[in-house]
Amino acid sequence: MKFNKNNFLQIFFKFTLFTLIISNSFGQNPANAPTNTPANTPANPNAPANTPGTNTPGPRTTQQAPNQPLPNRNRTTNTNDPKAARILKLDAADQMAMTKEDSLRAIREAEAEQDVAKATLRRRIFGYNLFNTIKFDPTPAINIATPSNYILGPNDQLIIDIYGYSQANYKAVVSPDGYITLDRVGLVYLAGSTMEQAREKILSKLSKVYVGLQPNSGYPANTFLVVSLGNIRSIKVTITGEVIAPGTYTLSSLSTILNALYVCGGPNELGTYRKIQVIRNNKVVATLDLYELLMKGFAKNNIILQDQDIVQVIPYIARVAIQGNTKRNGLFELTENEKLKDALEYAGGFNPYAYTHRLKVHRNTSRERKIIDVMEADFANFNVMSGDSIVTERLLERYENMVSIEGAIFRPGQYSLDSNPTLLQLIKSAEGLKGEALTGRISIVRTREDMIIENISVNLEDIMKGKASDIVLKREDLITIPSIFDLTEPAYVRIQGAINNPEGEDGIEVPFVRNLTIEDVLVKVGGLSESASLSRVEVVRRKRNVDPTSANAQISDTFEFNIRPDLSVEQAGNTFVLFPFDEIFIRKSPNYVKQAFVQVEGEVIFPAKYGIKSKDEKVSDIVKRAGGLTPQSYLEGATLIREIQLSEIEIEQRRRAITEIANSVKGNQTIEVEDVDATKKSSIGIDLRKILENPGSNEDMILQDGDIIRIPKRLETVRVQGEVLYPTTVKYFDRDNFINYISKAGGFTKRSLKSKSYILYANGSVDRTRRFLFVNIYPKVAPGSEIIVPQKTSTAQQQISQVQNLLGTLGATITTLIGIIGIFRITR
């Protein structure tokens, strides 16, 4: 495409015009648009909640046809086109609607945050948990005895029982006018009467019918009257003020002030818990203090409510915060005459770790905050104010009268300074000194008033003998009684060699004690083993005064002894006493050899385990002792399996290879590996036919302990594995060679590395493919062998190496041919 400057300018101009149109249509902010409300006009009180203070209309709801497409805000429009102008107006209205929705969402989120803050504040108020439980049933129990102070009203049902000389039963309901109707008596007015007053009125009326209800002519009453409450009426109670859910509630006539508070959720974050009023007939008839119920378990003014009662919860008057080491932390409400002591009682008092000597009160003033220290003696008289924050700190993690003693003492630990003011009294309380105590120089670590730690050295021996005065102790003194064992190196005697309980290659360390002998050490380690030599027991002793200037100075003394079978030492003169750090060596007897065994398996007459008779016993000797071979034995497949001890270098190489394999695993794959064993069993290829034909020859190997001679039956198969088309096992034929067996497995693949093919024979020996010029010379195939063809690797480096090898081979071949030609010419 050929570049045209005019086309480019035209496209650029259109793109700029499109950008200006889009920015004008979307860049206007409806919130900043001018309104009809003047700048100094007060807000409209009837405005919607989402637009306070303005006359801006709320979000507009538009009806969209089901199949009508929404306006595309991204398309290019012409501002002179009326249709385009309508689209721009529609876009602005939609943007305004989106702005209103965002505002509503922000308001809802703010209200949710306020609700969370209020709920958090309520949980801190003391007494809030009384109403904040779902397990409580606010309905009062009706299966109880009728309270004597219960006030009767319309719809209450009375059950009147007469018993004794006369018997009768009445059930009457109080009418809306306050009357009950009784047979043979008539109307009785009971509205507003208590249960006790109602009983007296009914008794007065019924005594005219039942004469026995009243004493008469000196005779006592022989008929009795019981009045109880049947069905209970409902009442209307209004709960106002600072409660969770104010309103008018329908309650049972047995409901109290607490039942009403439970129904409405209790006081809110502003409501009082100390002055809850019941208003009846425009008069306050009771004032409930919930703290009485919370602190004492009862409330004397928790009266039974009546119809049309008003329960008013006013805002709290004074509230303080208590935090720190009190049993309760939170917000507590106080009345006018209550002091700091009362607030601490509402908080449950101090916990065991409180610092009670002084409290800190944080108070709000008219300008800022201030802190007041209140001493313990002023708790009962200190006036608290609303908004005070009372902080109870934790006591110090230190003792005012503690001293400590440690070291060579029978009972080390902490003691009271009041009971042990001096050093000797403290040692006496600690049950005295141990025998190894070093009394010539003890130390007292003391912390001074300026927090500097100093050490005081004391001669305790002089104090105990009265040559020096006793030391007066101070708070937090630490007395250390050193031991003579702390000042000496732990001494031992080490024994190693042919002993019964060797713990390791370095032998056993026996703690040194004075007058320790060789016999004592032998007994401590459990005696000598069977392989121990009783002669030439050697003791090596370190020199303590070696001449550092002498090149051939003696650095140790050696002593040799013979030991009797009873573990006594043959020596002349005094008993040989060991010194600290002596080394005892018990040699192994050169004549002692443990039994060695060889396992013979497979095609022999008597396959079993055989003991090795002599140090030079060979394979032919064991086969002969096993009765010889069976007719089915396959001599070429005989194998000698021997346990080989790996060297440190081999172990390290194997561990490195395992680590590299484990590190090469990627992703979520895992590999589990075991640690390298220091020993392994290896198959050694032997030519049993030559061994049996010529016993004692170089082919006949000397046997070792743990060897296994395995002689299989005649094998008639050959296994082909690796990079062949069809790995398989085929029958052995003498006429077939290596290539024939490869053909029976389908032949080589494209990735076969023919020049590296090898054969693993039945006796464990391996033979590889050789190469002469460009020809592969494959090994001979035997019965029971396994042909293995490896796979080519396709790395660039290996390909380069192969080319280099090929060029080197060609160069050597050409050089050889040139030399042969030159020699031929010279001879001619």
Side-chain angles (χ1 to χ4, degrees), residues 276-346:
I276 300 173
Q277 298 175 341
V278 177
I279 301 174
R280 183 178 298 161
N281 298 325
N282 298 326
K283 294 181 180 179
V284 178
V285 297
T287 301
L288 175 64
D289 187 354
L290 288 176
Y291 277 29
E292 288 186 358
L293 176 65
L294 295 172
M295 300 300 296
K296 301 177 182 179
F298 66 92
K300 57 185 178 181
N301 290 331
N302 186 26
I303 64 173
I304 297 177
L305 299 177
Q306 295 185 16
D307 193 31
Q308 303 305 321
D309 278 353
I310 298 175
V311 179
Q312 185 179 28
V313 179
I314 63 176
Y316 69 88
I317 299 174
R319 181 183 289 170
V320 297
I322 299 179
Q323 57 184 341
N325 290 276
T326 53
K327 293 180 181 177
R328 299 189 191 99
N329 287 345
L331 302 177
F332 300 88
E333 187 177 351
L334 300 179
T335 58
E336 296 177 355
N337 298 324
E338 290 182 326
K339 308 293 182 181
L340 176 60
K341 181 180 179 181
D342 300 313
L344 293 175
E345 288 181 358
Y346 296 145

Side-chain angles (χ1 to χ4, degrees), residues 720-730 741-742 744-747 749:
V720 184
Q721 296 292 322
E723 282 302 317
V724 291
L725 292 176
Y726 184 73
T728 185
T729 301
V730 298
Y741 289 107
I742 293 294
K744 293 181 179 180
T749 66

Side-chain angles (χ1 to χ4, degrees), residues 25 60 76 167 183 207 237 252 263 282 298 397 409 484 501 506 570 574 607 633 644 696 700 716 730 740 742:
S25 61
R60 181 179 63 182
T76 304
Q167 295 183 357
D183 294 341
S207 61
V237 176
S252 167
V263 171
N282 298 326
F298 66 92
E397 293 294 337
I409 200 80
I484 58 174
N501 299 312
D506 295 334
E570 295 181 359
N574 297 329
S633 62
I644 298 176
D700 200 358
E716 297 182 351
V730 298
N740 297 132
I742 293 294

